Amino acid sequence: LFKEVLEDIIGSEKMEPWLKKRRNLFLEELIGEGEFGHVRKGVLREEGQQAVIVAAKTLRVDRANEITYRDFAKEASLLIEVNDDGGHVNIVSLIGLVVDGKMKKDPRYILVEYAEPGELHWYLVNIQNNRYQADVPPGLGRQLTEVAIDIAQGMQELKRRKITHRDLACRNIVLCSSGRRDGRLVAKISDFGLARDVYVTTQYMRHPLTNILLPIKWMAIESLIEGVYSCKSDMWGFGVVMWEIATLGGTPYPEVCGYETLVTMLRRGRRLQKPSGCSEEM
Ligand code: ADE
């Protein structure tokens, strides 16, 4: 079904070049867990090619339904669109898709480049925890500003392609050290939707009417109320991302825990404030 849905969205000519064989994928440890599948580190070994380390996002077919299939296929199709002509440095690279299988219940995979040190949110929280041990990396402010600029550039590319992300948040940004001589980390936009880490699942709440899990504290008012998304609502999400960066992985509106409360508060004009210690430049 996944293959059919994907073919439906993107067309078979666009999809075919990305298909990888299940037998060439060697999965390793779990790096994240979500509602309908998990993310594993893995290696793709194809004949005559260099082995590639990947992050494999799984769709567990036994837990999936029509909607999750669509979401998964949608994410894959967006990644294909962005990566079809070489991709962008600030958007995670697609390596391939695994949709073949002898058994109907074989999981499907989206393979993306493996980023080291990985998730931005995790990275920020670690810096915050190490602060009291005086182990803050030198030039931290500059590094964080560069991360924010990277994300903005990735977003600009999404806008250029008329793609809305809908789930921009530090948990969905990865940091990459590879390929740079100066040691600077490169931030890349990842997770156009599905796999969510266990420790952040609390950040998604069910909409009272639709029962869909939503990242409410990252959502623009118009998305919360009318369900409309645009590059402008992604921009709101970017504002929250900036706030997360400046607070080293803080939780936005920590006292708020429900959809209604958040909507009421935002309607009254309450907004996230410039955090203490946040530079003017940021
Ligand atoms: N966690 C989630 N996505 C990842 C990626 N692409 N690389 C490393 N860790 C990840």
Side-chain angles (χ1 to χ4, degrees):
L1 181 63
F2 172 61
K3 196 174 170 191
E4 281 79 69
V5 173
L6 187 59
E7 225 162 20
D8 222 34
I9 298 176
I10 198 121
S12 57
E13 345 59 76
K14 273 204 162 177
M15 181 180 74
E16 291 296 336
W18 293 100
L19 300 184
K20 304 290 177 192
K21 294 204 166 61
R22 186 173 298 267
R23 62 175 157 80
N24 291 337
L25 176 64
F26 299 87
L27 293 172
E28 294 170 9
E29 75 265 25
L30 201 66
I31 52 177
E33 192 146 16
E35 211 188 356
F36 299 103
H38 32 239
V39 187
R40 270 181 192 284
K41 189 176 180 178
V43 185
L44 185 69
R45 296 179 195 279
E46 295 182 292
E47 228 179 277
Q49 308 236 16
Q50 274 228 334
V52 188
I53 304 175
V54 298
K57 304 183 67 178
T58 319
L59 177 68
R60 277 190 55 176
V61 179
D62 55 336
R63 286 195 211 170
N65 57 37
E66 180 88 28
I67 293 168
T68 36
Y69 266 115
R70 285 222 157 259
D71 285 350
F72 200 67
K74 183 87 186 154
E75 174 162 24
S77 73
L78 291 177
L79 282 166
I80 289 176
E81 231 179 288
V82 178
N83 283 278
D84 233 2
D85 47 9
H88 187 276
V89 279
N90 301 119
I91 298 174
V92 80
S93 296
L94 179 66
I95 307 291
L97 305 168
V98 174
V99 301
D100 63 337
K102 281 199 201 79
M103 299 210 266
K104 234 183 157 173
K105 65 173 183 22
D106 280 335
R108 304 315 192 231
Y109 299 101
I110 295 176
L111 311 178
V112 298
E113 65 177 310
Y114 183 78
E116 190 79 69
E119 265 183 50
L120 174 59
H121 187 260
W122 182 88
Y123 180 83
L124 293 171
V125 168
N126 262 296
I127 294 174
Q128 178 69 291
N129 292 342
N130 288 337
R131 272 206 142 168
Y132 306 103
Q133 297 161 30
D135 192 19
V136 179
L140 178 67
R142 171 160 196 91
Q143 195 181 307
L144 295 181
T145 309
E146 281 168 350
V147 163
I149 293 170
D150 283 349
I151 301 166
Q153 280 168 348
M155 286 182 67
Q156 196 166 31
E157 173 68 4
L158 293 182
K159 177 168 188 277
R160 193 177 72 77
R161 294 180 181 272
K162 301 189 169 61
I163 292 172
T164 51
H165 186 289
R166 298 173 184 225
D167 198 5
L168 205 65
C170 283
R171 61 182 169 273
N172 290 335
I173 308 286
V174 291
L175 293 176
C176 238
S177 57
S178 57
R180 288 200 56 118
R181 247 181 291 153
D182 60 4
R184 151 140 145 64
L185 296 171
V186 179
K188 297 176 185 241
I189 298 177
S190 164
D191 276 274
F192 293 58
L194 184 85
R196 279 144 197 176
D197 215 288
V198 258
Y199 75 90
V200 292
T201 44
T202 51
Q203 301 294 5
Y204 296 87
M205 282 167 209
R206 292 197 189 276
H207 188 279
L209 300 176
T210 61
N211 207 35
I212 294 170
L213 279 175
L214 294 169
I216 60 167
K217 292 178 176 180
W218 282 258
M219 287 165 67
I221 303 186
E222 69 272 20
S223 313
L224 286 166
I225 295 171
E226 300 164 61
V228 296
Y229 294 88
S230 64
C231 65
K232 290 179 183 172
S233 58
D234 275 350
M235 199 61 214
W236 179 296
F238 179 73
V240 184
V241 164
M242 292 283 284
W243 188 91
E244 286 186 278
I245 293 174
T247 57
L248 297 175
T251 301
Y253 327 99
E255 73 286 6
V256 175
C257 60
Y259 173 88
E260 297 296 345
T261 326
L262 181 67
V263 170
T264 308
M265 214 184 67
L266 292 173
R267 277 195 151 142
R268 285 188 186 144
R270 159 104 201 262
R271 298 291 182 270
L272 291 170
Q273 298 301 304
K274 176 170 173 269
S276 63
C278 174
S279 70
E280 279 303 323
E281 184 190 21
M282 185 66 124

